[in-house]
Amino acid sequence: MRQREHSPPPSPSTPSARLRHRKHTKSQEVFPDVSKLNGGSNLLVDDQNKYRSMWVRTLSSLWMLGGVILILYLGHLYICAMVVVIQILMAAELFHLRRIVHESKRLPGFWLINWYFFFTAMLYVYGRILRPHLVNTVTSDKFFYKLVNGLFKYHMVICYFLYIAGVMWFILTLKKRMYKYQFGQYAWTHMILIVVFTQSSFTVANIFEGIFWFILPASLIAINDVAAYFFGFFFGRTPLIKLSPKKTWEGFIGGSFATVLFAFMLANILGQFRWMTCPRKDLSTGWLHCDPGPLFKLEYYPFPNNIAELLPWKGMWISPVQWHALWLGLFASIIAPFGGFFASGLKRAFKIKVILVTVYPGMAALQIGWIARPEIWLSLKKEDIAIPSQVVIHFLW
């Protein structure tokens, strides 16, 4: 009798019954109370394996740092290639998250529509971003110059009809009893293109304005993640958010102060390398030499008299870009941690332990950093970029 009492109920045989059973099962699912997890036992400072976790993070950081330095040394095109590869990997994993194996088997080849829209969007966005650089590259050859100009003349029309063809392809694949799944995939694909791909594509535009505008925001986000981790590692006692039980207010505040401080110093160090601040006007791979722009020229700021009397020096030499870096550091401190929270929520929503953006500890923070790229790009396009206040205001708004 006991065996019969504890035996699972028989699975329904009809599709409608299976659906009702699935909904009933979901309603009975019990999720852990995250508020209890935040009681203290799950804080990083009390974790018995925290030193092992720190060692793993350190090793993964070192090999990633080595790879990034190598790519930075190779130049603009290789950095852009890295960004494109990351975009494709992110899209592949996000496409996979919403794919249901049982449903996909009934729609062979339907996944090709996702990638069709992705590469159409890539053609449109990168065509607009790289147009002047590609034209400058083929200027010396009359045939390719005319060909490239002719293609770009109808670039928007070509991309528009490619998109319309994708919509028609999608409509022709619609299958009875699969409508909801197919339209869900269609909406999911466009969400990825808008939220992930479009924003991250501005990174390529920033790279061609100067590697400085790629490496500084990315470095600040990494610094914020590392600083917040170590402050939470040694001093974290107050839970910050339920989505990430190990995140603490001590780590958040300490990481913010460290990020703003490092931003001010790092901008000065990076600004001294001309090859990082020079914009690239074509698609060549050679080294660049240029005069520093107004943002990278040092200006003298005298101290107030009451402070100057107490110090051996009367003022400081500061480049305008360092003031911008303070705002970038503040932006990274407040916004970047939400990349980790977003990834935590995503993992809980899809009930997975690891996703691509968190394979490297803290990599999730870099994803929210893509948000800053369009703002930086818009600021760089301002003709009055030499005026610090206007750039900062434009960045914030």
Side-chain angles (χ1 to χ4, degrees), residues 299-362:
E299 298 177 359
Y300 186 73
Y301 292 85
F303 293 140
N305 293 332
N306 55 346
I307 297 178
E309 293 174 357
L310 304 175
L311 299 173
W313 54 87
K314 304 303 179 183
M316 290 181 63
W317 287 91
I318 301 174
S319 60
V321 75
Q322 290 179 262
W323 300 120
H324 302 307
L326 289 178
W327 291 102
L328 285 172
L330 187 62
F331 188 92
S333 302
I334 297 174
I335 303 300
F338 284 85
F341 305 152
F342 184 88
S344 298
L346 192 66
K347 289 189 292 183
R348 283 166 174 74
F350 291 96
K351 299 178 184 177
I352 53 177
K353 292 185 177 180
V354 178
I355 56 178
L356 177 65
V357 295
T358 54
V359 168
Y360 164 66

Side-chain angles (χ1 to χ4, degrees), residues 121-182:
M122 183 176 286
L123 177 64
Y124 176 74
V125 173
Y126 284 136
R128 294 183 65 85
I129 291 175
L130 300 179
R131 175 178 179 175
H133 305 87
L134 186 56
V135 171
N136 291 337
T137 304
V138 299
T139 302
S140 57
D141 192 306
K142 290 184 179 180
F143 173 76
F144 283 107
Y145 181 75
K146 290 181 179 179
L147 177 64
V148 170
N149 269 328
L151 289 175
F152 278 119
K153 184 179 179 180
Y154 301 102
H155 170 254
M156 187 175 292
V157 176
I158 293 171
C159 293
Y160 173 75
F161 280 105
L162 284 174
Y163 178 80
I164 293 299
V167 174
M168 294 172 64
W169 181 10
F170 166 75
I171 293 172
L172 292 173
T173 60
L174 290 176
K175 202 170 184 179
K176 193 175 181 181
R177 296 183 181 176
M178 302 291 293
Y179 298 150
K180 187 175 181 180
Y181 173 74
Q182 288 179 284

